């Protein structure tokens, strides 16, 4: 049994390694950058620059320069080979739509999205993981699950069989989606929440930390508690 698990881990690492270009940039210069860099570099690539839209943000790494904004990116890119450069949008939620916008911007400039898969994550062979997704330490992606573009399945989160995560969704640390859950675009399932089988989480909805979701969540709603109840105010 252990050797089967080990073989699958090696397969996942090899799959990631073969896809990574020699150099990668990160867009987003705070905590998520610190999480993804070692995963990327363990796969044989090198993080060469960090970009962020916040002026004067210090680089998260002493050995990697940080630049501010899209103009600075375009100046930097002029001396690089885009076809040898990948990117990872290292910005967590609730910013899934920002990740999607930056993804399109960087693809337009010839860079390729890097899929980040931690070696301790387990992804079923018939699951589909979209471009630029991040599957972090201890996460599980079950059989026939479909993970969209720029999704994050965070540390120890579990996405079970046949779940659908549309683009930009984050399943935060320790959250559990039971089977056949559908999370629409930019939904955010916060730390330690549980979503029962066959539930739909609406676009841009937020499920609070520790909530247990027993019925569908409308678009833009914020739900908290056990069982989860919708907060009065809604988000667009
Ligand atoms: C769901 C969440 C995003 C809502 O944030 P928000 O819209 O700013 O909500 P507020 O903090 O204004 O709280 C609104 C009310 O809901 C309550 N509430 C907020 N989150 C709650 C939770 N997870 N469980 C129970 N009640 C919660 C607050 O106590 C407050 O109640 P009150 O009006 O009686 O005082 C946030 O509370 C949350 O759960 N964050 C977790 C973030 C996370 O998992 N991050 C992982 C990063 S890797």
């Amino acid at each position: 049994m252990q050797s089967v698990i080990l073989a699958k881990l090696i397969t996942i690492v090899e799959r990631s390694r073969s896809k990574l270009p020699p150099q990668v940039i990160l867009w987003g210069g705070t905590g998520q950058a610190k999480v993804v860099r070692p995963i990327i570099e363990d796969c044989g690539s090198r993080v060469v620059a960090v970009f962020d839209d916040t002026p004067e943000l210090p680089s998260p790494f002493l050995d990697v320069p940080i630049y501010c904004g899209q103009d600075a990116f375009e100046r930097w890119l002029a001396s690089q080979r885009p076809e040898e450069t990948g990117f990872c949008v290292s910005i967590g939620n609730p910013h899934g739509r920002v990740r999607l916008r930056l993804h399109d911007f960087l693809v337009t400039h010839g860079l390729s999205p890097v899929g980040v898969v931690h070696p301790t994550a387990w992804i079923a062979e018939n699951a589909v993981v979209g471009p630029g997704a991040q599957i972090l330490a201890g996460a599980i992606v079950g059989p026939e699950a479909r993970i969209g573009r720029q999704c994050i399945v965070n540390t120890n989160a579990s996405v079970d069989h046949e779940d659908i995560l549309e683009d930009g969704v984050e399943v935060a640390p320790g959250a559990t989606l039971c089977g056949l859950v559908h999370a629409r675009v930019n939904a955010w399932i916060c730390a330690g929440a549980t979503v029962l089988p066959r539930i739909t989480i609406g676009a841009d909805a937020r499920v609070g930390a520790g909530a247990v979701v027993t019925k569908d969540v409308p678009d833009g709603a914020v739900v908290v508690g056990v069982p989860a109840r919708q907060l009065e105010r809604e988000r667009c």
Side-chain angles (χ1 to χ4, degrees):
M1 182 60 179
Q2 276 180 334
S3 62
V4 173
I5 293 170
L6 186 61
K8 281 192 188 304
L9 288 177
I10 291 168
T11 307
I12 291 166
V13 172
E14 290 303 322
R15 222 192 285 164
S16 312
R17 189 191 299 273
S18 63
K19 281 183 189 161
L20 291 193
Q23 63 173 25
V24 169
I25 65 151
L26 305 181
W27 201 296
T30 55
Q32 197 71 6
K34 297 178 185 182
V35 172
V36 295
R37 181 185 184 191
I39 306 173
I40 291 167
E41 297 198 334
D42 279 353
C43 290
S45 191
R46 198 163 56 92
V47 171
V48 292
V50 178
F51 295 85
D52 199 289
D53 293 324
T54 307
E56 294 174 27
L57 185 72
S59 175
F61 314 113
L62 291 175
D63 57 339
V64 181
I66 190 166
Y67 305 91
C68 179
Q70 299 189 351
D71 291 346
F73 167 74
E74 283 167 352
R75 283 194 298 276
W76 176 85
L77 190 63
S79 62
Q80 307 292 322
R81 296 163 73 96
E83 67 281 7
E84 292 182 359
T85 308
F87 70 86
C88 172
V89 186
S90 44
I91 301 173
N93 279 50
H95 302 296
R97 286 190 187 273
V98 175
R99 285 199 301 280
L100 292 170
R101 180 174 52 73
L102 286 166
H103 180 111
D104 291 343
F105 170 78
L106 293 165
V107 167
T108 302
H109 284 74
L111 276 63
S112 47
V114 161
V116 174
V117 179
H118 193 276
T120 62
W122 184 80
I123 302 175
E125 262 171 37
N126 60 3
V128 176
V129 178
Q134 300 168 35
I135 316 292
L136 300 182
I140 291 176
V141 177
E144 296 180 35
R146 281 189 281 147
I147 309 290
R149 202 164 50 104
Q150 290 297 336
C151 286
I152 299 176
V153 182
N154 221 314
T155 311
N156 281 333
S158 175
V159 172
D160 218 312
H161 64 91
E162 300 161 271
D163 286 348
I164 298 172
L165 308 192
E166 294 186 16
D167 295 346
V169 167
E170 178 178 349
V171 185
T176 300
L177 307 191
C178 297
L180 294 155
V181 165
H182 185 160
R184 294 198 188 277
V185 62
N186 194 35
W188 185 26
I189 295 96
C190 290
T194 301
V195 181
L196 298 193
R198 297 177 188 276
I199 297 287
T200 294
I201 309 294
D204 303 297
R206 298 171 186 203
V207 172
V212 175
V213 183
T214 58
K215 55 187 183 189
D216 290 353
V217 176
D219 291 352
V222 182
V223 299
V224 298
V226 182
R229 303 277 184 228
Q230 188 171 340
L231 293 180
E232 287 290 308
R233 75 202 136 88
E234 294 192 355
R235 295 176 187 273
C236 56

